[in-house]
């Protein structure tokens, strides 16, 4: 008997394939002609009613000219949709947007996470109290906030699990000084940053408030790198009404350069830790 997990994954594959087809400006009939099948079958695939076979999805992704990073992730998702295993992030589909869910799937197999934040503490570093205060400020309903917090805490296990990716964070000093919750929340949060920053595969750097304008000013982003150096990096951008991913070298190379520039102008990890420790004492 089929599990709910397989059905959910099939639907996810279908949604992503439909979006890719629309981005390629192709009709269902075009795909059916290419696969030499009926239009009804393509609709069933996109609706998640049937699983797509490996050969079919490779043909489809080639037709849509899907970039390598997204193609690899889609192939993996399609493979899992034919199995019974449900990945942990699918459990939070009700409170996580589709682009973010796709991003977390990529993050889960990344070997490098680069996070630049200008207004808030990076999610992978947030304490539960800080998360809750953010949810309250954004007026997130209590039941949804609880799910979002559990989801974020699950993500944070990336930094402590065996084989954890390298994590590089650059944070504006203003983000550390923006009061989220009360003083005790902020002190706990600052101590958490210093604690996580002491781990071997973690680097946290602070850009002092006195630093002048720079190219990435105010444009928070997360960039992922993967085991295969030929696989393009992926950039996740979040805005008020949603989020989106960039996964082609032509679009991500500017963020790669920007993050290197941010690391160059920021304080060293040791000096950053000293600054944060001084802030805790203030």
């Amino acid at each position: 008997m089929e599990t709910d997990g397989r059905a959910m994954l099939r639907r996810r594959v279908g949604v992503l394939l439909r979006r890719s087809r629309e981005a390629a400006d192709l009709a269902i009939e075009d795909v059916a002609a290419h696969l030499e099948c009926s239009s009804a079958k393509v609709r069933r695939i996109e609706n998640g009613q049937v699983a797509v076979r490996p050969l079919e999805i490779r043909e489809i992704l080639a037709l849509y000219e899907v970039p390598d990073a997204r193609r690899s992730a889609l192939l993996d998702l399609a493979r899992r949709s034919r199995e019974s295993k449900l990945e942990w992030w699918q459990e939070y589909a009700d409170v996580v947007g589709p682009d973010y869910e796709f991003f977390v799937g990529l993050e889960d197999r990344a070997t490098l996470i680069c996070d630049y934040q200008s207004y808030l503490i990076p999610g992978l570093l947030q304490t539960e109290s800080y998360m809750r205060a953010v949810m309250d400020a954004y007026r997130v309903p209590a039941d949804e906030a609880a799910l979002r917090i559990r989801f974020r805490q699950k993500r944070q296990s990336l930094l402590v699990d065996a084989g954890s990716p390298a994590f590089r964070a650059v944070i504006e000093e203003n983000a550390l000084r923006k009061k989220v919750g009360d003083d005790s929340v902020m002190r706990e949060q600052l101590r958490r940053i210093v604690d996580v920053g002491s781990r071997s595969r973690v680097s946290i750097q602070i850009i002092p408030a006195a630093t002048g304008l720079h190219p990435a000013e105010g444009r928070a982003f997360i960039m992922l790198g993967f085991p295969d150096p030929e696989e393009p990096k992926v950039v996740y951008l979040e805005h008020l009404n949603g989020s989106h991913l960039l996964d082609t070298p032509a679009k991500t190379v500017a963020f790669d350069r920007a993050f290197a520039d941010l690391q160059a102008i920021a304080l060293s990890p040791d000096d950053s830790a000293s600054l944060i420790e001084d802030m805790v004492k203030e």
Side-chain angles (χ1 to χ4, degrees):
M1 184 174 179
E2 182 177 60
T3 66
D4 290 340
R6 285 180 64 183
M8 182 184 295
L9 287 169
R10 270 210 325 269
R11 288 194 296 271
R12 190 78 201 102
V13 170
V15 168
L16 295 171
L17 288 177
R18 175 178 55 78
R19 290 180 178 176
S20 298
R21 174 178 59 77
E22 292 170 348
D25 197 25
L26 292 169
I28 284 179
E29 292 72 20
D30 297 324
V31 184
H34 183 77
L35 295 178
E36 298 182 349
C37 69
S38 68
S39 297
K41 179 176 180 178
V42 178
R43 288 192 182 91
R44 287 197 295 271
I45 289 173
E46 292 190 355
N47 290 334
Q49 295 173 300
V50 297
V52 57
R53 294 180 300 177
L55 180 60
E56 289 174 329
I57 195 169
R58 285 187 173 85
E59 287 286 331
I60 292 171
L61 297 178
L63 176 64
Y64 298 167
E65 297 183 352
V66 173
D68 288 344
R70 187 177 288 266
R71 184 180 304 192
S72 176
L74 268 169
L75 284 168
D76 182 60
L77 191 63
R79 175 187 58 76
R80 288 188 279 109
S81 74
R82 299 175 66 86
E83 301 171 352
S84 59
K85 182 182 178 183
L86 177 65
E87 297 292 354
W88 69 265
W89 56 86
Q90 260 84 42
E91 299 175 19
Y92 300 90
D94 289 343
V95 296
V96 177
D99 281 341
Y100 194 47
E101 181 187 333
F102 191 66
F103 165 77
V104 172
L106 292 170
E107 182 185 60
D108 205 57
R109 64 185 184 84
T111 52
L112 173 67
I113 304 173
C114 299
D115 195 337
Y116 164 62
Q117 297 295 326
S118 53
Y119 301 116
L120 290 173
I121 305 302
L124 290 174
L125 300 176
Q126 291 178 8
T127 64
E128 181 176 345
S129 297
Y130 186 95
M131 294 179 208
R132 197 169 301 282
V134 170
M135 299 294 173
D136 289 344
Y138 288 174
R139 300 179 181 176
V140 179
D143 54 345
E144 181 179 337
L147 280 174
R148 287 181 178 273
I149 288 170
R150 288 204 296 273
F151 171 75
R152 183 155 292 175
Q153 290 174 323
K154 185 71 174 179
R155 276 185 65 214
Q156 290 179 344
S157 65
L158 272 174
L159 302 185
V160 295
D161 288 345
S164 61
F167 179 63
R168 307 285 180 258
V170 177
I171 312 169
E172 299 280 356
E173 182 181 346
N174 292 333
L176 303 179
R177 296 193 178 278
K178 182 178 287 294
K179 191 171 182 179
V180 176
D182 57 25
D183 290 341
S184 64
V185 170
M186 289 308 300
R187 281 195 294 272
E188 179 190 30
Q189 179 60 72
L190 294 175
R191 292 190 183 104
R192 167 70 66 84
I193 295 171
V194 174
D195 176 60
V196 177
S198 66
R199 297 174 187 170
S200 61
R201 293 182 60 77
V202 174
S203 168
I204 299 174
Q205 296 178 256
I206 307 303
I207 298 179
T211 303
L213 287 173
H214 52 77
E217 190 76 37
R219 302 172 184 173
F221 64 90
I222 305 175
M223 181 172 62
L224 305 179
F226 302 96
D228 184 352
E230 296 300 315
E231 184 172 356
K233 291 181 178 178
V234 172
V235 172
Y236 174 78
L237 301 170
E238 196 168 69
H239 47 83
L240 185 61
N241 296 318
S243 60
H244 64 280
L245 291 169
L246 304 176
D247 56 6
T248 60
K251 293 181 179 180
T252 62
V253 65
F255 290 89
D256 206 357
R257 288 197 299 262
F259 197 81
D261 291 341
L262 290 168
Q263 289 180 300
I265 65 175
L267 298 175
S268 70
D270 287 344
D271 288 344
S272 296
S274 296
L275 172 63
I276 297 172
E277 289 168 346
D278 289 342
M279 291 173 61
V280 172
K281 298 172 185 176
E282 291 178 0

